[in-house]
């Protein structure tokens, strides 16, 4: 540190010498030296004393000015260093804040890998979000799991808005059929179609079973469904993507959870409103007061087929067994 200080002062003296102030100080020093020499030559005492006093004063002023410049430069350097340090610290704080905001806007809080069995951690966290929310937006192929979640959460204040594929539009189901065929390459296509229709049936009947577990259920069918699944709550959005081949071979695909401040949250809320208001979207309501006869009419309007009360009871039993199996596997009991 001492060597650094000496080096710094030598540099300062060098800069001072070549500056205008340095030239002025050099001139003053030279004038003082000439005055002292002249005072030594003059023999008359009054004049000699006067010249000597003036030369000494000039020399003293020059030395004092140099010393003051050195001290001032040290203080300025210290103040400048502190100012730069504070500015850098402020910049780093702002940078960290910007990075955190970017994390919230673009990065998920949780990611759950694909699996063949329900993930208890995934289902526990999603159920917490559902219980804490006053609305539930679901968009996917069928509503089996959505209906089971509504019943298991038991949030009476929650309004559920469910968008599923139109069962009467086979084109809307084609992509899903391809994924199911990929999972079961040895099965006949008719068998796969029957299974998919059965899932759609259970989803519809499941919503009827869940009618008393939430405030109300708005059911919408669209001929342009998305293969990705979106579940939106007050504080989060859950996105299950169907873009990875290895995930398509498993029943439960990779899912990402984002906060409500994320960009995708606002985007999907707007897209829900778009689909909800589209002319080709069918909108129906299931309430706690919906009777069996009311639901038979809803079922026919959605699925394009009639079922009897006995068939409804049988489908209810199948769905309740599915719910119990799902709750046990997902550790939601």
């Amino acid at each position: 540190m001492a060597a650094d200080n000496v080096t710094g002062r030598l540099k300062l003296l060098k800069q001072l010498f070549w500056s205008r102030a340095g030239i002025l100080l050099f001139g003053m020093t030279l004038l003082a030296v000439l005055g002292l020499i002249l005072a030594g030559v003059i023999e008359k005492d009054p004049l000699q004393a006067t010249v000597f006093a003036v030369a000494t004063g000039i020399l003293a002023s020059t030395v004092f000015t140099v010393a003051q410049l050195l001290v001032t430069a040290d203080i300025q350097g210290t103040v400048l260093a502190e100012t730069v340090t504070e500015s850098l610290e402020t910049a780093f704080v702002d940078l960290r804040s910007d990075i955190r905001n970017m994390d919230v806007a673009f990065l998920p809080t949780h990611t759950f890998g694909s699996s063949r069995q329900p993930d208890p951690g995934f289902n526990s966290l999603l159920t917490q979000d559902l219980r804490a929310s006053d609305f539930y937006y679901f968009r996917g192929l069928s509503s089996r799991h959505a209906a089971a979640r509504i019943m298991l959460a038991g949030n009476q204040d929650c309004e559920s808005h469910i968008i599923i594929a139109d069962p009467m539009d086979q084109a809307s189901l084609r992509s899903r059929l391809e994924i199911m065929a990929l999972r079961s390459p040895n099965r006949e296509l008719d068998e796969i179609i029957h299974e998919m229709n059965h899932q759609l049936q259970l989803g519809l009947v499941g919503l009827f079973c869940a009618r008393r577990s939430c405030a109300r259920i708005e059911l919408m069918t669209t001929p342009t469904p998305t293969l990705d699944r979106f579940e939106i709550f007050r504080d989060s959005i859950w996105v299950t993507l169907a873009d990875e081949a290895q995930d398509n071979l498993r029943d439960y695909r990779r899912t990402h959870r984002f906060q409500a401040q994320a960009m995708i949250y606002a985007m999907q809320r707007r897209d829900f409103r778009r689909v909800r208001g589209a002319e080709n979207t069918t909108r129906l309501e299931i309430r706690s007061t919906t009777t069996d006869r009311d639901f038979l009419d809803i079922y026919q309007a959605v699925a394009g087929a009639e079922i009897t009360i006995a068939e409804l009871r049988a489908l209810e039993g199948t769905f309740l067994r599915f719910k119990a199996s799902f709750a046990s596997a997902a550790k939601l009991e």
Side-chain angles (χ1 to χ4, degrees), residues 2 9 53 76 83 95 102 116 126 130 141 163 169 207 220 226 246 257 265 274 278 280 283 288 298 324-325:
R9 284 184 171 82
Q76 287 179 340
T83 303
L95 180 60
M102 289 180 63
R116 297 191 180 278
L126 191 148
L130 176 54
L141 179 76
I163 298 178
D169 189 334
L207 293 176
M220 293 162 275
T226 174
Q246 65 269 27
R257 179 189 183 273
Y265 186 95
R274 179 191 63 80
N280 56 2
R283 293 169 53 192
S288 59
I298 292 173
S325 174

Side-chain angles (χ1 to χ4, degrees), residues 90-285:
T90 302
F92 280 127
V93 169
D94 293 340
L95 180 60
R96 285 194 295 267
S97 177
D98 290 341
I99 291 174
R100 282 195 297 270
N101 291 336
M102 289 180 63
D103 287 348
V104 170
F106 298 104
L107 299 180
T109 60
H110 298 77
T111 295
F112 298 90
S114 58
S115 63
R116 297 191 180 278
Q117 296 295 327
D119 182 340
F122 164 88
N123 286 284
S124 175
L125 185 57
L126 191 148
T127 302
Q128 288 178 27
D129 285 351
L130 176 54
R131 285 174 176 160
S133 180
D134 55 356
F135 60 83
Y136 175 32
Y137 290 91
F138 173 89
R139 188 176 181 186
L141 179 76
S142 71
S143 53
R144 286 186 310 158
H145 289 90
R149 294 188 197 285
I150 292 171
M151 293 185 71
L152 292 168
N155 185 353
Q156 299 288 340
D157 299 324
C158 181
E159 290 193 354
S160 301
H161 307 270
I162 311 295
I163 298 178
I164 61 172
D166 187 349
M168 292 189 290
D169 189 334
Q170 292 302 311
S172 69
L173 307 175
R174 187 175 297 116
S175 296
R176 185 65 175 180
L177 276 174
E178 293 173 356
I179 292 177
M180 294 180 70
L182 184 63
R183 291 178 183 167
S184 307
N186 298 323
R187 297 175 62 187
E188 295 292 334
L189 181 60
D190 290 344
E191 185 181 355
I192 296 174
I193 292 174
H194 176 75
E195 179 184 344
M196 186 178 64
N197 288 332
H198 183 63
Q199 290 181 5
L200 291 168
Q201 281 184 319
L202 285 185
L204 291 174
V205 174
L207 293 176
F208 178 63
C209 293
R211 68 192 185 280
R212 295 190 179 93
S213 299
C214 62
R216 72 183 183 97
I217 298 174
E218 181 184 31
L219 173 62
M220 293 162 275
T221 63
T222 176
T224 56
T226 174
L227 280 176
D228 303 327
R229 186 174 70 244
F230 299 95
E231 296 175 86
I232 303 179
F233 309 100
R234 184 190 63 197
D235 300 323
S236 64
I237 176 172
W238 293 68
V239 183
T240 301
L241 300 175
D243 60 351
E244 298 184 37
Q246 65 269 27
D247 285 354
N248 289 335
L249 298 176
R250 300 176 181 178
D251 293 332
Y252 301 93
R253 289 167 288 162
R254 183 183 301 273
T255 300
H256 306 283
R257 179 189 183 273
F258 296 85
Q259 295 183 42
Q261 295 79 16
M263 185 176 294
I264 192 172
Y265 186 95
M267 291 172 59
Q268 286 304 315
R269 286 291 299 268
R270 288 194 297 268
D271 203 43
F272 262 92
R273 288 194 291 269
R274 179 191 63 80
V275 174
R276 188 173 184 268
E279 293 182 358
N280 56 2
T281 297
T282 301
R283 293 169 53 192
L284 299 162
E285 237 183 49

Side-chain angles (χ1 to χ4, degrees), residues 32-59:
V33 171
L34 290 175
L36 291 174
I37 294 173
L38 183 60
V41 174
I42 296 174
E43 295 180 355
K44 295 180 179 181
D45 289 341
L47 182 60
Q48 182 187 40
T50 302
V51 173
F52 183 79
V54 171
T56 304
I58 293 173
L59 184 60

Side-chain angles (χ1 to χ4, degrees), residues 60-72:
S61 297
T62 303
V63 173
F64 177 77
T65 302
V66 171
Q68 186 180 28
L69 285 172
L70 290 173
V71 172
T72 303

Side-chain angles (χ1 to χ4, degrees), residues 284 291-307:
L284 299 162
T291 64
D292 291 349
R293 291 293 177 185
D294 294 334
F295 179 73
L296 294 182
D297 293 336
I298 292 173
Y299 185 94
Q300 183 177 5
V302 173
E306 295 183 4
I307 58 172

